[in-house]
Amino acid sequence: MFLNILKKDLKRKKTMNVILLIFILMSAMFMSSSANNIIAVTSGLDYFFKKADMADYYVLALDGDGKKMQTSLDGLDSVIDYRREESIYISGKNVEINGKTLNDLNRAAIVMSIDNAKLNYFTPDNEQIATVESGKAYVSGVFASENNLDIGDKFTLIVGDTKKEFEYLGRAKDALLGSDFMGNPKFIINDEDYEYLNSDKEVKNRQGSTYYINTTDTSKIEAMLGEQSGILFNANNDTIKTTYIMSMIVAALLLIVSIFLIVISFVVLKYTIGFTLAEEFREIGVMKAIGMKNSSIRALYLIKYFAITVVGSAIGFAVSMPFSDMMLKAVSSSMYIDSENSVMVSLLCSIVVIFITLCFCWSSTRRIKKLSPIDAVRNGTTGERFKKKSLMQLRKSKLNSTVFLSTNDILSAPKKYSIVTFIFTILMLLVMILANTANTLNSDKLLFLLGCTESDVYLTLTDEVMQATGSNVDSQAILNETIKDVEKTLSDNDMTGKVHVETMYNTTVFTNDTKTGVMFQHCPDTKADDYTYSEGVAPENANEIAVSYLIAERLNVGIGDTVTFIIDGEECECMITALFQTFNQLGNVGRLHEDFDVSKLDLLNAFSFQIDFDDEISEAECEKRIEKIKDIYDTKHVYNCADFVKDSTGAADIISAVKNMVLIITLIIVVLIAVLMERSFISAEKTEIALMKAIGFSNKSIIWHHTLRFAIVAVIASILAVILCMPITKLVIDPVMGVMGAVSGVGYEIIPFEIFVFYPAILVAVTIIAAFFTSIYTNKIKSSDASNIE
């Protein structure tokens, strides 16, 4: 009997049942795939680090044979053991593809021998790289994708007068530098080829090391590094894990979407059950009259939703596997991910969806207890009402009948329509939050977090910067010569202007109870007060500095405190006058006054060369000059202010892709909600619609009456989303920015047309279209149905 009733009910309410099936399918699919992604990225990261044999602390240094560093490490009691991986540092001018020098490589690259590897590297198929044939190479990072390099393609490495052609074997998975956030490619070749490149006389200034250090006290290592020369990068395990943050954010966003889809599914399910019970009061009354118990009647409905839930979850489980693989594709290209348990995780998530849905169904059918056989006679109501149904009165209203009825319906049933409003608001907020984040990462709003001043053009010259780094060169002289060359080139091409560059140095700093190495930014051609500080005032003298919040916390100091520098064996005191936030070194950096003497410090890195033209130019003219400079220097790494920020953060495109995906999902959900709710309303209001037709309302006016209700709800949801947009964006995204170094939050870039017009217009338009075409179903209702009691 139950199966026959179920079969008839499923046929009778096809639209509602299909939409409910879709929601459950999407819930199971997103929950399974996002749970897999979260597990793969979080626990998978630990798994990857373990397989790679990572250490506690890492140092990249341009230190020749590394004897001085090794002596210092041997003298530290806190060092348990360490491994040194010999390498050659190169720039884009040391790489050729199809006979063209790769000037577009905007970060330093590393060449290493697999026979000297002190870390486990893996192929795209997760096989450990044990050997590499002569003339072939694996490359980590995004080098291949940025340069359209496919497996089997050729490229050439050049060191001085020595050249060697290699065949690309695939992207190597490098736990230390392999994340997209790091962006430093590593060329993994065999020992014979490495020694051939290493034999060139010019390699001396490019020889370096990567140290993998196991230690009981990282602060002692940081203090020691401040006394070393040629330190390019140093970080602990937690910092390296943070470089994979974008993969975690994408997985977390998908999990949030899946959780919200489940919540929406429950809301939809509650309404579906509510409307079903309201519509089937006669059947329920009759079943009670013939002696059926409440539990038996509730079980009848439970069987129906059990069938829908099982089918939806099963399909969602099947779809989640390829969907999860697709979402993990970008992550798995840089990480060794263990996916052995992915099927079990997906199956468990699908079972959880079934269980939670059935529990919710059982809870939602409690209303059956309140229905009695007499309800079948009374048409499902008592016929009594002791309060006003709405605040509006027809005799006092100046609205036409369609607008009045639509508005009156919403005010008469605020609970029913508030749920729809809530769902639409949250959906719009999801899209707006991601849009604000992507727009901010695409704008110049975050320039201050890079410790740079605003300029017309930013020109990346990696090779020139690498020539200026190290302990055996006059860094300032090389940089000044490069600046003069750039200014002359610009002048020769009718683009006169001034050029400056931000530089980075590492030195030992200690307070009463803490001694550590600190990275400092410095630029002799700008003023300290040209930069943004969160607290205090800009340094005014050479013996005054500003530090980031994380550095202040590490040193346990604040504004007005004094710290001591150790430079070339000599001590000098500097007072902290300001605190600031920064993305550089993931928030661990300070700023020196422009008059500070950096001649005894080793240059670690320099940013893009900043160009300020002498004449005032328009945005269009600036873009023309950027294209001209690209041709002159044969590089694509020439940016305006906003593009420089986008390139530096490297996250805008990922967030934009997630935003577009969520927007599509949002519109699909809006359509499904509008269709489901409208069909439910039509079913519940069949008698009222028939009565309206009986007293002269046309089909057209009834359709617009039903459509306008959803239009009003969509407009209200859009207004609420706009109002809540900024506070919710800060609440959700500020913690993410904090992980990257912006601990005090940032100002977000709001594009008024996109946020206040475009997205609300899409929501309202899609809602109207879905409600309009669904409400056409009212044409099937006749005026005679007003007296139909079947």
Side-chain angles (χ1 to χ4, degrees):
M1 180 185 75
F2 278 7
L3 291 177
N4 288 330
I5 295 174
L6 171 63
K7 185 177 179 181
K8 290 181 180 179
D9 188 77
L10 290 175
K11 285 184 177 180
R12 186 163 56 94
K13 298 180 178 179
K14 289 181 181 178
T15 302
M16 294 175 65
N17 292 330
V18 167
I19 291 175
L20 186 59
L21 177 71
I22 292 173
F23 271 109
I24 293 173
L25 184 157
M26 292 175 67
S27 299
M29 180 185 75
F30 272 93
M31 178 173 248
S32 299
S33 59
S34 58
N36 264 326
N37 290 4
I38 286 286
I39 293 171
V41 176
T42 52
S43 64
L45 194 56
D46 291 328
Y47 180 82
F48 181 30
F49 277 31
K50 182 178 180 180
K51 292 287 290 186
D53 194 19
M54 291 282 273
D56 299 323
Y57 203 86
Y58 314 94
V59 179
L60 273 67
L62 196 62
D63 61 349
D65 58 13
K67 289 183 179 179
K68 183 180 178 182
M69 175 70 78
Q70 292 180 81
T71 301
S72 298
L73 288 172
D74 289 335
L76 288 178
D77 294 336
S78 61
V79 174
I80 301 171
D81 61 67
Y82 66 89
R83 293 163 276 155
R84 176 179 177 263
E85 198 172 73
E86 183 182 336
S87 56
I88 303 171
Y89 289 89
I90 62 173
S91 66
K93 290 187 177 180
N94 302 110
V95 185
E96 278 187 3
I97 297 179
N98 297 325
K100 183 179 178 182
T101 302
L102 195 64
N103 294 329
D104 286 340
L105 186 62
N106 66 337
R107 290 179 175 87
I110 297 173
V111 180
M112 60 160 288
S113 165
I114 188 61
D115 300 289
N116 186 45
K118 298 301 184 290
L119 192 71
N120 295 330
Y121 301 93
F122 302 92
T123 68
D125 297 324
N126 292 335
E127 297 292 333
Q128 184 175 338
I129 303 174
T131 59
V132 179
E133 294 180 32
S134 180
K136 297 184 179 182
Y138 288 96
V139 188
S140 69
V142 295
F143 173 81
S145 59
E146 287 185 344
N147 296 284
N148 300 316
L149 201 65
D150 296 320
I151 293 177
D153 290 348
K154 306 284 187 178
F155 65 88
T156 302
L157 296 181
I158 308 167
V159 179
D161 297 325
T162 305
K163 293 185 178 183
K164 178 69 179 180
E165 187 179 65
F166 294 90
E167 178 185 338
Y168 177 61
L169 295 177
R171 177 172 178 172
K173 297 182 180 182
D174 173 13
L176 180 62
L177 299 176
S179 70
D180 294 349
F181 190 83
M182 295 294 281
N184 297 91
K186 186 178 287 186
F187 295 85
I188 303 175
I189 59 179
N190 76 358
D191 198 55
E192 179 184 344
D193 294 336
Y194 179 83
E195 290 301 329
Y196 175 70
L197 295 174
N198 197 41
S199 64
D200 193 278
K201 61 182 181 180
E202 290 191 16
V203 83
K204 183 178 180 180
N205 293 328
R206 296 180 179 270
Q207 286 179 323
S209 313
T210 302
Y211 295 92
Y212 305 92
I213 308 166
N214 288 312
T215 178
T216 57
D217 190 348
T218 58
S219 64
K220 291 184 179 180
I221 295 177
E222 291 170 346
M224 178 272 293
L225 293 177
E227 301 171 2
Q228 299 291 321
S229 58
I231 305 301
L232 301 177
F233 176 78
N234 59 288
N236 58 26
N237 230 355
D238 291 337
T239 301
I240 298 302
K241 287 182 178 180
T242 306
T243 64
Y244 290 87
I245 187 173
M246 293 315 302
S247 299
M248 299 179 194
I249 290 173
V250 172
L253 287 173
L254 286 176
L255 184 60
I256 292 171
V257 171
S258 68
I259 291 173
F260 186 68
L261 280 173
I262 293 173
V263 172
I264 292 176
S265 298
F266 291 160
V267 173
V268 170
L269 186 60
K270 180 177 175 63
Y271 265 101
T272 303
I273 294 174
F275 280 120
T276 301
L277 296 180
E279 187 181 19
E280 298 178 354
F281 61 90
R282 292 189 184 89
E283 289 87 341
I284 295 171
V286 171
M287 284 188 283
K288 286 196 172 187
I290 62 175
M292 290 184 66
K293 297 180 179 180
N294 286 323
S295 58
S296 299
I297 301 173
R298 293 175 75 180
L300 176 63
Y301 286 97
L302 201 64
I303 290 173
K304 167 188 171 181
Y305 294 113
F306 175 75
I308 294 174
T309 304
V310 168
V311 173
S313 297
I315 299 173
F317 166 74
V319 176
S320 71
M321 302 307 295
F323 183 72
S324 179
D325 291 340
M326 181 188 72
M327 296 308 300
L328 277 175
K329 187 176 181 180
V331 180
S332 61
S333 65
S334 61
M335 289 174 55
Y336 187 135
I337 293 177
D338 179 20
S339 57
E340 293 180 359
N341 298 320
S342 59
V343 175
M344 289 302 300
V345 171
S346 296
L347 183 61
L348 180 62
C349 289
S350 298
I351 293 173
V352 168
V353 170
I354 294 173
F355 177 75
I356 296 176
T357 304
L358 290 180
C359 289
F360 193 81
C361 286
W362 183 260
S363 175
S364 298
T365 55
R366 286 178 299 178
R367 185 183 170 190
I368 290 176
K369 296 180 180 179
K370 298 179 180 180
L371 297 176
S372 63
I374 199 66
D375 289 316
V377 179
R378 291 181 174 176
N379 209 29
T381 65
T382 62
E384 298 175 335
R385 175 160 56 88
F386 301 102
K387 60 180 179 179
K388 288 184 178 180
K389 189 178 181 182
S390 171
L391 298 174
M392 298 181 67
Q393 296 183 31
L394 181 59
R395 60 186 178 84
K396 295 181 179 180
S397 175
K398 296 181 179 180
L399 302 174
N400 64 41
S401 59
T402 301
V403 177
F404 175 85
L405 288 173
S406 301
T407 308
N408 188 62
D409 284 349
I410 295 173
L411 295 177
S412 300
K415 184 178 179 181
K416 181 166 63 177
Y417 289 95
S418 63
I419 298 296
V420 183
T421 305
F422 172 78
I423 293 173
F424 285 179
T425 301
I426 296 298
L427 288 171
M428 286 306 300
L429 280 173
L430 280 173
V431 177
M432 288 178 175
I433 288 169
L434 293 172
N436 289 338
T437 306
N439 293 335
T440 302
L441 294 170
N442 268 322
S443 73
D444 58 4
K445 285 252 184 179
L446 301 183
L447 181 66
F448 76 98
L449 290 170
L450 301 176
C452 294
T453 55
E454 185 174 353
S455 295
D456 295 319
V457 176
Y458 299 78
L459 169 63
T460 302
L461 299 173
T462 307
D463 191 66
E464 285 76 358
V465 171
M466 287 195 63
Q467 291 177 16
T469 57
S471 56
N472 299 319
V473 296
D474 188 342
S475 302
Q476 287 301 313
I478 295 174
L479 288 179
N480 288 336
E481 187 63 30
T482 303
I483 288 173
K484 289 179 181 179
D485 289 343
V486 173
E487 288 179 344
K488 185 179 184 303
T489 301
L490 292 173
S491 179
D492 292 342
N493 288 273
D494 300 321
M495 297 181 290
T496 58
K498 296 295 182 182
V499 178
H500 67 274
V501 62
E502 292 285 340
T503 52
M504 190 82 76
Y505 301 89
N506 186 53
T507 185
T508 299
V509 177
F510 70 85
T511 58
N512 293 330
D513 53 358
T514 304
K515 184 179 181 181
T516 185
V518 178
M519 296 281 190
F520 281 94
Q521 282 184 246
H522 177 261
C523 182
D525 302 313
T526 58
K527 301 295 183 183
D529 57 8
D530 292 337
Y531 303 87
T532 302
Y533 305 94
S534 302
E535 296 182 41
V537 296
E540 297 179 356
N541 302 296
N543 63 344
E544 294 178 349
I545 62 171
V547 296
S548 69
Y549 284 99
L550 295 181
I551 292 293
E553 182 180 347
R554 207 164 90 196
L555 294 172
N556 193 26
V557 294
I559 295 174
D561 290 337
T562 299
V563 298
T564 303
F565 284 29
I566 302 177
I567 301 175
D568 198 23
E570 298 181 1
E571 295 184 2
C572 67
E573 291 188 346
C574 290
M575 186 175 71
I576 299 171
T577 65
L579 300 176
F580 63 92
Q581 51 184 352
T582 177
F583 280 167
N584 295 329
Q585 298 292 311
L586 293 173
N588 291 280
V589 75
R591 171 160 293 282
L592 301 171
H593 188 269
E594 60 270 16
D595 294 334
F596 190 94
D597 182 11
V598 295
S599 61
K600 295 181 180 180
L601 296 175
D602 291 333
L603 177 70
L604 302 184
N605 193 15
F607 294 4
S608 295
F609 289 85
Q610 298 179 224
I611 302 170
D612 297 295
F613 295 118
D614 292 338
D615 53 339
E616 294 288 337
I617 58 174
S618 64
E619 186 175 329
E621 177 61 25
C622 184
E623 291 302 317
K624 288 181 181 179
R625 294 188 181 186
I626 287 174
E627 294 303 318
K628 194 173 182 179
I629 296 172
K630 286 180 179 179
D631 293 335
I632 293 171
Y633 285 94
D634 190 24
T635 178
K636 66 181 180 182
H637 296 295
V638 185
Y639 310 105
N640 58 27
C641 195
D643 289 338
F644 174 69
V645 173
K646 178 182 177 181
D647 179 72
S648 299
T649 58
D653 291 338
I654 297 175
I655 300 297
S656 294
V658 175
K659 177 201 69 176
N660 293 334
M661 184 192 72
V662 172
L663 177 60
I664 293 171
I665 294 172
T666 294
L667 297 180
I668 292 173
I669 293 175
V670 167
V671 170
L672 293 175
I673 290 290
V675 171
L676 176 63
M677 301 302 283
E678 174 58 17
R679 284 301 300 266
S680 300
F681 292 162
I682 292 173
S683 178
E685 299 169 7
K686 184 176 180 180
T687 303
E688 289 87 339
I689 295 170
L691 181 61
M692 290 175 68
K693 289 188 176 185
I695 63 176
F697 279 88
S698 65
N699 286 329
K700 181 180 178 181
S701 63
I702 293 173
I703 289 172
W704 281 113
H705 162 218
H706 280 244
T707 303
L708 190 57
R709 293 189 299 193
F710 282 90
I712 293 172
V713 167
V715 169
I716 294 172
S718 298
I719 294 172
L720 290 174
V722 167
I723 294 172
L724 296 172
C725 177
M726 276 312 300
I728 299 298
T729 298
K730 291 188 71 65
L731 179 67
V732 173
I733 304 300
D734 272 3
V736 177
M737 295 291 185
V739 172
M740 298 171 68
V743 295
S744 298
V746 299
Y748 291 91
E749 176 73 9
I750 304 295
I751 298 179
F753 176 78
E754 183 179 13
I755 300 300
F756 303 140
V757 179
F758 182 68
Y759 292 130
I762 288 181
L763 173 66
V764 174
V766 170
T767 303
I768 289 174
I769 292 171
F772 176 81
F773 283 102
T774 307
S775 63
I776 293 176
Y777 185 77
T778 58
N779 290 340
K780 295 183 178 182
I781 300 176
K782 303 175 183 178
S783 58
S784 59
D785 291 329
S787 58
N788 188 355
I789 61 171
E790 294 181 358

